[in-house]
Amino acid sequence: MSATCQLTGRRPGFGKSVSHSHVRTSRRWNPNIQRRTYFVPSLGRRVTLNLSAKAIKTVDRDGIESVVARLRARGEKI
């Protein structure tokens, strides 16, 4: 599963870890991506999405119907 949110587009952030001796090594901050399955009444089926924690809250607030409409308008296959 890729570390990309289908709704918000969040991707890993990249940077450096700095040790006590100030040696810098590469690291990455992954978003909190979860695989969630929702039932969409207009489609009459379940839809599985890879969502960040913030996107899950957005689905809870706006509803799955509006989120699916937003994804389809963007041209994403569901």
Side-chain angles (χ1 to χ4, degrees):
M1 178 170 61
S2 67
T4 304
C5 176
Q6 286 182 279
L7 183 59
T8 62
R10 286 175 181 253
R11 299 177 95 83
F14 295 91
K16 300 284 186 181
S17 287
V18 182
S19 69
H20 178 71
S21 64
H22 212 65
V23 173
R24 293 166 187 253
T25 56
S26 295
R27 64 158 293 180
R28 78 190 239 168
W29 288 268
N30 285 324
N32 186 7
I33 300 293
Q34 308 291 324
R35 174 168 273 166
R36 297 290 292 229
T37 303
Y38 295 96
F39 180 76
V40 183
S42 64
L43 299 177
R45 65 183 177 92
R46 291 184 294 163
V47 172
T48 301
L49 300 171
N50 293 325
L51 300 174
S52 64
K54 182 175 181 177
I56 292 171
K57 294 174 189 174
T58 303
V59 171
D60 291 342
R61 186 189 68 219
D62 297 342
I64 188 64
E65 294 285 348
S66 65
V67 168
V68 168
R70 195 180 315 167
L71 290 173
R72 286 215 156 153
R74 198 173 8 173
E76 190 158 339
K77 187 172 182 342
I78 298 176

